[in-house]
């Protein structure tokens, strides 16, 4: 009966305190379970762990403000003693003050508790051995918010009796409890989002767990990247940069300029970029610096994937600059890539590779490609007049060879005119077999004598 009376007394104390405080203060009531380490003078087992007993009861707390609360609890335990009386039934009524150094509204808030109460001990056999004593207590613990409807706290508390020591034990007792309490809050100190600001003050009630907030309960974001401080693992993100869920800036193309600041978002890997993330191309060849292995390509030259200029006909003048793209191998060319027609005023240019069908003035296909380059060179020098001279070997009739050489010279001249060379620049003349350059007695010599020459007039 005494234990029942004291539990009622503890709850009444909480309610009285609640009635005398601010209507907005709030509080909580709950169920407490734990373990007790009774004083060794109660006659328990000598081993510490054998002394531990289960303990339970009810607890209530009224919050005076966001740092202090008034508490009351009633606890009950049964202690297996070595006294002849056997089991000791202990009922404890306690009231006190709890201090939260940070704030009651903080998730996982630590607290220090202090107070006192009265202890009743009833021995199972022999009512003459029952006794009661006052005690003082001191404890520490931590309080956790479980959404809007519950809290969970743990507390380690020590109790020391005083004043009346004329009972069966005969001296002051010291004991300890480890307690866990599941409580249900009421009133003002409800914090649904667990940000440390009660719902009645919280202007941003859906703050993400772990975010740092201001006094109004709204998340702080020092670098303005949209990820609140406390969650943001990259706190100094440049303004405008896009970030991931942890607040760290992203760089999709890996060029060192963050997404959101990068104006050229798909830069090829390895390319050098400017402060806006756009790749540079110093020589203007279309291959970005950093990738370009030939960084000083002349303007207008065509390049390969590495940025190096291409010279398809191998004449030393790059494609894109070369105005005579199919110059025969070994032909000397000018800076435009076109054949150099004359080394000096008196020299004649033999058009190597210009051939005709047998006993005909019809040009072969390969000859036309060579003459295209010659035409480009002549068009570049419109003031120069050129003789197109036809030559044959010594086989056949002299008169026939003369006429054949003249027809072939005329055929070349017509082709050059068709390619844009001015007619006034050209003059055709046949020499027949009169000006050999090799021995007509050999096939190689005769092949060299069958030729077309250009001579500056």
């Amino acid at each position: 009966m005494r234990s029942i009376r004291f539990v009622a007394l503890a709850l009444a104390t909480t309610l009285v305190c609640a009635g005398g405080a601010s209507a907005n203060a709030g509080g909580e009531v709950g169920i407490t379970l734990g373990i007790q380490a009774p004083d060794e003078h109660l006659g328990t087992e000598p081993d510490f762990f054998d002394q531990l007993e289960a303990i339970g009861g009810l607890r209530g707390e009224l919050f005076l403000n966001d740092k202090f609360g008034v508490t009351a609890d009633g606890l009950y335990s049964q202690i297996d003693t070595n006294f002849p009386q056997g089991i000791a039934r202990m009922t404890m009524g306690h009231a006190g003050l709890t201090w939260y150094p940070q704030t009651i509204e903080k998730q996982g808030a630590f607290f220090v508790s202090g107070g006192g109460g009265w202890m009743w001990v009833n021995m199972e056999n022999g009512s003459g051995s029952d006794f009661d004593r006052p005690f003082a207590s001191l404890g520490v613990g931590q309080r956790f918010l479980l959404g809007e409807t519950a809290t969970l706290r743990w507390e380690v508390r020590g109790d020391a009796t005083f004043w009346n020591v004329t009972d069966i034990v005969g001296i002051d007792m010291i004991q300890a409890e480890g307690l866990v309490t599941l409580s249900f809050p009421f009133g003002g100190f409800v914090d649904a989002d667990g940000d440390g600001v009660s719902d009645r003050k919280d202007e941003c009630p859906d703050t993400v767990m772990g975010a740092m907030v201001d006094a109004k309960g709204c998340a702080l974001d020092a670098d303005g990247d949209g990820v609140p401080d406390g969650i943001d693992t990259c706190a100094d993100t440049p303004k405008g940069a896009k970030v991931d869920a942890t607040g760290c800036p992203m760089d999709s193309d890996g060029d060192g300029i963050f997404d959101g600041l990068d104006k050229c978002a798909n830069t090829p890997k390895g390319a050098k970029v400017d402060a806006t993330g756009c790749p540079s191309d110093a020589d203007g060849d279309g291959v970005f610096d950093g990738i370009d292995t030939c960084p000083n390509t002349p303007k207008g030259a065509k390049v390969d994937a590495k940025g190096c200029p291409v010279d398809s006909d191998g004449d030393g003048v790059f494609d894109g600059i070369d105005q005579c793209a199919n110059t025969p191998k070994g032909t000397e060319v000018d800076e435009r890539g076109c054949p150099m027609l004359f080394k000096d005023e008196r020299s004649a240019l033999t058009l190597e590779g210009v051939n005709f069908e047998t006993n005909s003035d019809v040009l072969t296909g390969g000859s036309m490609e060579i003459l295209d380059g010659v035409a480009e060179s002549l068009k570049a020098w419109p003031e120069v007049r050129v003789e197109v001279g036809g030559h044959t070997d010594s086989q056949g009739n002299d008169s026939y060879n003369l006429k054949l050489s003249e027809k072939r010279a005329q055929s070349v001249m017509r082709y050059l005119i068709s390619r844009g060379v001015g007619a006034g620049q050209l003059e055709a003349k046949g020499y027949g077999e009169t000006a050999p350059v090799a021995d007509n007695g050999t096939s190689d010599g005769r092949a060299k004598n069958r030729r077309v020459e250009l001579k500056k007039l």
Side-chain angles (χ1 to χ4, degrees):
M1 289 297 294
R2 286 184 177 181
S3 61
I4 295 174
R5 285 198 301 271
F6 188 75
V7 170
L9 176 61
L11 292 176
T13 302
T14 302
L15 294 176
V16 169
C17 293
S22 167
N24 291 326
E28 58 188 25
V29 292
I31 301 171
T32 298
L33 297 173
I35 56 175
Q36 182 183 50
D39 188 281
E40 61 180 3
H41 294 95
L42 279 177
T44 55
E45 299 293 331
D47 183 83
F48 174 78
F49 290 102
D50 290 338
Q51 296 182 49
L52 299 180
E53 304 288 351
I55 191 169
L58 300 177
R59 178 187 182 279
E61 181 172 1
L62 176 69
F63 302 123
L64 301 178
N65 52 42
D66 61 356
K67 288 186 177 293
F68 289 94
V70 175
T71 65
D73 59 64
L75 299 174
Y76 175 79
S77 64
Q78 291 189 163
I79 302 169
D80 186 11
T81 74
N82 288 327
F83 295 141
Q85 290 81 356
I87 301 295
R89 297 183 178 91
M90 179 181 291
T91 305
M92 302 173 64
H94 170 269
L97 188 67
T98 304
W99 172 51
Y100 298 85
Q102 296 169 304
T103 169
I104 185 64
E105 299 175 344
K106 180 176 177 59
Q107 177 68 281
F110 287 93
F111 62 84
V112 177
S113 64
W118 209 273
M119 175 192 302
W120 292 270
V121 180
N122 300 94
M123 306 305 293
E124 185 178 50
N125 298 315
S127 59
S129 300
D130 296 349
F131 65 91
D132 58 279
R133 295 182 180 185
F135 68 90
S137 66
L138 185 66
V140 294
Q142 194 174 12
R143 178 177 181 266
F144 296 92
L145 308 171
L146 304 180
E148 299 183 46
T149 58
T151 66
L152 184 70
R153 70 170 62 219
W154 64 264
E155 181 179 8
V156 176
R157 190 169 81 189
D159 305 318
T161 65
F162 59 94
W163 186 27
N164 182 4
V165 292
T166 61
D167 49 55
I168 188 174
V169 176
I171 63 173
D172 288 329
M173 295 188 299
I174 298 176
Q175 59 188 27
E177 295 90 31
L179 307 172
V180 175
T181 303
L182 178 64
S183 298
F184 304 94
F186 61 87
F189 285 100
V190 178
D191 183 13
D193 57 8
D195 62 0
V197 179
S198 63
D199 290 355
R200 64 190 176 89
K201 296 180 181 178
D202 199 336
E203 296 183 7
C204 302
D206 298 318
T207 303
V208 179
M209 184 65 72
M212 297 175 65
V213 298
D214 56 21
K216 297 179 180 179
C218 293
L220 300 172
D221 183 11
D223 56 9
D225 61 0
V227 179
D229 299 347
I231 299 174
D232 196 339
T233 58
C234 299
D236 298 318
T237 301
K239 189 174 182 180
K242 292 182 179 179
V243 298
D244 58 21
T246 66
C248 291
M250 299 181 291
D251 181 11
S252 301
D253 56 9
D255 62 0
I257 305 297
F258 301 134
D259 297 351
L261 302 176
D262 196 338
K263 293 183 179 180
C264 300
N266 298 311
T267 301
K269 190 173 182 180
K272 294 182 179 179
V273 297
D274 58 20
T276 66
C278 291
S280 57
D281 181 13
D283 56 9
D285 61 1
V287 179
F288 301 133
D289 299 344
I291 300 173
D292 195 340
T293 58
C294 299
N296 298 312
T297 301
K299 190 173 182 179
K302 292 183 179 179
V303 297
D304 58 20
K306 296 181 179 180
C308 292
V310 178
D311 181 12
S312 301
D313 57 9
D315 62 1
V317 180
F318 302 133
D319 296 357
I321 299 173
D322 195 339
Q323 297 181 23
C324 301
N326 298 310
T327 303
K329 190 173 182 180
T331 302
E332 292 190 52
V333 296
D334 57 21
E335 68 277 1
R336 298 172 302 116
C338 293
M340 295 181 65
L341 298 181
F342 309 106
K343 294 181 180 180
D344 55 54
E345 295 293 328
R346 298 182 180 180
S347 63
L349 172 65
T350 299
L351 300 182
E352 300 288 348
V354 174
N355 298 306
F356 302 87
E357 295 182 6
T358 304
N359 291 324
S360 171
D361 62 351
V362 178
L363 289 163
T364 61
S367 301
M368 296 176 186
E369 292 183 8
I370 297 171
L371 291 176
D372 286 342
V374 173
E376 292 299 321
S377 293
L378 290 173
K379 287 190 290 182
W381 303 97
E383 70 280 4
V384 175
R385 293 187 71 252
V386 176
E387 177 190 273
V388 180
H391 297 266
T392 66
D393 59 25
S394 62
Q395 289 186 325
N397 183 274
D398 292 349
S399 176
Y400 175 80
N401 287 338
L402 182 61
K403 290 181 181 179
L404 179 61
S405 66
E406 186 171 346
K407 288 181 180 181
R408 288 180 172 175
Q410 290 286 347
S411 179
V412 170
M413 186 176 72
R414 286 194 301 271
Y415 185 84
L416 294 175
I417 292 172
S418 73
R419 291 304 185 206
V421 180
Q425 280 187 262
L426 303 174
E427 180 180 307
K429 184 175 181 179
Y431 289 91
E433 58 185 80
T434 61
V437 293
D439 185 2
N440 278 310
T442 65
S443 59
D444 287 343
R446 290 191 294 272
K448 291 180 180 179
N449 289 332
R450 297 190 298 270
R451 66 192 187 279
V452 175
E453 291 182 340
L454 299 182
K455 186 168 60 176
K456 187 175 181 182
L457 296 175

